[in-house]
Amino acid sequence: AGLGEFRIRDLNDEINKLLREKGHWEYRIKELGGPDYARIGPKMLDHEGKEVPGNRGYKYFGAAKDLPGVRELFEKEPLPPPRKTRAELMKDIDAEYYGYRDEDDGILEPLEQEHEKKVIAEAVEKWKMEREARLARGEEEEEEENIYAVHEEESDEEGAKEREGEDSQQKFIAHVPVPTQQEIEQALVRRKKMELLQKYASETLLAQSEEAKTLLGL
């Protein structure tokens, strides 16, 4: 390592040049029918017994492995965590995932109740302050309108006159005739008879039935 970066690189280049020449001789021996030393030959190991690292056929020996930019070539990047399948993801989804069990811990619900009381108290206090301010200015307090009251509608001839002293809630009055339950049943029976006559009676019988109804005034 004390030889310096440039000297180390020159020596490493010289070693790789000799290795390429050795590879050419091994290939020539194989052509002449000799053994394949590239396949059966011993692997090149460093002083630690590890295989000599290389990149695209170029090997690095000794201090050359620690040169700037060389170590990064052989540092393996950590593998990304394996992605879970849809089935594995669905295993972790339950009622708690959707927040249905948030109140089971006994902590969230009391906090919500306390916050609700605080908000209601603030709203009531604000309403009281606004009411007192209106009274201090001499403004009359407006009567709250009852949205559930049903007022009787007057005819066009009488006109829309305000009724004083009467209760604000009036009984609902229908302005169209409403048939009784008995009248509805009679109408259904007549309709059913007509459907049966149209289905089973002949045209002559129908004509006679209509004529009889006309004579009887039905």
Side-chain angles (χ1 to χ4, degrees):
L3 295 177
E5 178 181 352
F6 299 103
R7 179 58 179 165
I8 293 174
R9 290 186 182 276
D10 291 341
L11 290 175
N12 202 76
D13 290 341
E14 183 67 22
I15 295 174
N16 277 272
K17 180 179 178 181
L18 294 174
L19 288 176
R20 285 195 299 272
E21 184 177 354
K22 176 176 176 289
H24 294 323
W25 283 114
E26 290 174 348
Y27 179 75
R28 180 58 179 164
I29 293 172
K30 181 181 177 181
E31 282 185 337
L32 297 175
D36 186 2
Y37 290 104
R39 185 172 61 87
I40 64 175
K43 296 182 179 180
M44 289 181 294
L45 305 177
D46 57 10
H47 64 283
E48 296 178 355
K50 298 180 182 180
E51 187 176 0
V52 177
N55 186 23
R56 295 183 180 180
Y58 190 89
K59 302 291 184 180
Y60 292 93
F61 300 91
K65 295 184 294 184
D66 297 326
L67 292 175
V70 177
R71 182 177 295 275
E72 290 79 1
L73 295 175
F74 309 107
E75 290 181 354
K76 295 182 179 180
E77 296 182 359
L79 297 176
R83 297 185 60 181
K84 294 185 178 180
T85 62
R86 183 178 296 272
E88 293 175 344
L89 293 174
M90 293 299 294
K91 290 180 180 178
D92 300 331
I93 296 179
D94 52 9
E96 187 174 359
Y97 175 82
Y98 292 104
Y100 293 138
R101 297 178 180 172
D102 291 348
E103 299 178 356
D104 295 346
D105 55 3
I107 300 176
L108 181 61
E109 189 171 359
L111 293 176
E112 290 180 347
Q113 294 176 354
E114 182 179 354
H115 181 70
E116 182 180 1
K117 293 179 181 179
K118 181 179 178 181
V119 172
I120 293 176
E122 291 177 355
V124 172
E125 186 67 23
K126 181 179 179 182
W127 176 80
K128 289 181 178 180
M129 293 176 62
E130 292 178 353
R131 182 171 177 269
E132 293 176 357
R134 288 197 302 268
L135 294 175
R137 292 195 300 267
E139 298 179 0
E140 295 183 359
E141 187 175 359
E142 298 180 358
E143 184 179 357
E144 295 183 357
E145 180 182 359
N146 187 359
I147 61 175
Y148 299 102
V150 179
H151 300 279
E152 181 182 0
E153 296 182 2
E154 298 178 352
S155 62
D156 294 339
E157 296 178 356
E158 295 178 351
K161 296 181 179 180
E162 297 181 357
R163 297 184 177 181
E164 299 179 358
E166 295 182 358
D167 188 12
S168 59
Q169 288 190 348
Q170 302 295 336
K171 184 178 179 181
F172 177 75
I173 298 177
H175 296 276
V176 294
V178 179
T180 63
Q181 183 68 22
Q182 186 177 3
E183 293 175 346
I184 294 175
E185 292 177 356
Q186 291 176 357
L188 292 174
V189 171
R190 288 196 300 268
R191 181 178 178 183
K192 189 65 177 179
K193 287 181 178 180
M194 292 300 298
E195 291 178 354
L196 292 174
L197 287 173
Q198 292 176 0
K199 184 175 182 181
Y200 297 106
S202 62
E203 296 181 359
T204 304
L205 184 58
L206 289 175
Q208 292 176 356
S209 177
E210 293 294 335
E211 184 178 358
K213 288 182 180 180
T214 304
L215 294 175
L216 294 175
L218 299 176

